[in-house]
Amino acid sequence: MTEKYHSVNSQWPANLPPLSDQEALAGAKRLFRKATGKAFKGKWKIATGNRYTWPRRGVFYVNPRRTGDLRHFQPGWPDLVHFISHWAMHVLHPTWKSHCSAHLSLEKELTEYVIAQGWLEGKLKAQPKAVVPAIDRRYANVTAGIARWTTKLKRAKTALAKLERKRRYYERKKGAA
């Protein structure tokens, strides 16, 4: 099997960066959609230990650091792409054999996609959020609270003015009767 997948495995660079959980989930979702043309109908979760990247009972488990049988697969992106391509082939062609030439073509296509998209350079990593100092956050909350209460005060004054007009109206009617 190793010789068969040489055209795929030779595309991966020698030193692959480690794959984070967030990158693995984002990449797996996009790879599945790329391979099948539709999204997976279920939840996505991170798996740990020696568990395969594979769906079970409506949950697609993604393991970015599988450490099992390393004779054929490198942990990280190659392993992830291999198992996503297997499941995509199962979805697209349930009766075909698992390591047919179509699977090889799909895995090669997904490997080229990962490399071309720049995912190995970290393009899927979440951008760090800007940290707003606590004093600025609290000041913004106070300002927003003042604006809310000012609006409520205006609405209350308007409602009281309307009720005051109605009271005068009914007092006139009551006095005339």
Side-chain angles (χ1 to χ4, degrees):
M1 185 167 79
T2 307
E3 295 82 26
K4 184 178 180 181
Y5 283 87
H6 180 70
S7 63
V8 174
N9 294 333
S10 63
Q11 292 182 347
W12 295 108
N15 296 329
L16 286 169
L19 181 59
S20 71
D21 292 352
Q22 181 268 327
E23 282 180 297
L25 277 178
K29 289 176 186 179
R30 292 179 187 188
L31 285 172
F32 185 82
R33 185 181 294 265
K34 170 82 173 153
T36 62
K38 56 187 173 187
F40 177 73
K41 291 183 169 111
K43 293 182 180 179
W44 292 82
K45 287 189 178 178
I46 290 293
T48 57
N50 193 25
R51 292 172 185 84
Y52 288 105
T53 294
W54 204 254
R56 293 180 278 289
R57 292 184 219 95
V59 178
F60 207 119
Y61 290 95
V62 177
N63 191 348
R65 291 173 296 280
R66 192 174 74 83
T67 57
D69 181 20
L70 298 178
R71 292 172 298 176
H72 303 296
F73 307 108
Q74 300 172 25
W77 282 112
D79 193 55
L80 182 69
V81 168
H82 180 76
F83 286 108
I84 292 286
S85 65
H86 266 300
W87 185 252
M89 280 302 293
H90 174 72
V91 168
L92 295 171
H93 308 287
T95 59
W96 292 13
K97 297 214 182 251
S98 64
H99 286 107
C100 64
S101 59
H103 170 257
L104 182 64
S105 300
L106 179 63
E107 186 172 346
K108 189 173 184 177
E109 179 186 334
L110 293 180
T111 300
E112 291 168 354
Y113 181 72
V114 167
I115 294 168
Q117 293 295 312
W119 295 355
L120 300 179
E121 289 83 43
K123 288 207 176 170
L124 283 179
K125 286 185 181 174
Q127 299 300 322
K129 294 181 181 177
V131 179
V132 178
I135 191 79
D136 292 342
R137 204 172 49 246
R138 291 177 187 148
Y139 177 76
N141 287 343
V142 168
T143 307
I146 290 170
R148 278 193 313 272
W149 282 106
T150 303
T151 301
K152 289 177 186 179
L153 178 64
K154 288 178 184 176
R155 284 180 30 219
K157 285 180 180 178
T158 303
L160 282 171
K162 283 175 144 181
L163 289 172
E164 197 59 41
R165 280 195 307 270
K166 285 183 181 181
R167 184 175 62 107
R168 285 194 306 262
Y169 169 80
Y170 287 117
E171 284 176 351
R172 282 194 311 265
K173 286 287 189 182
K174 192 175 163 185

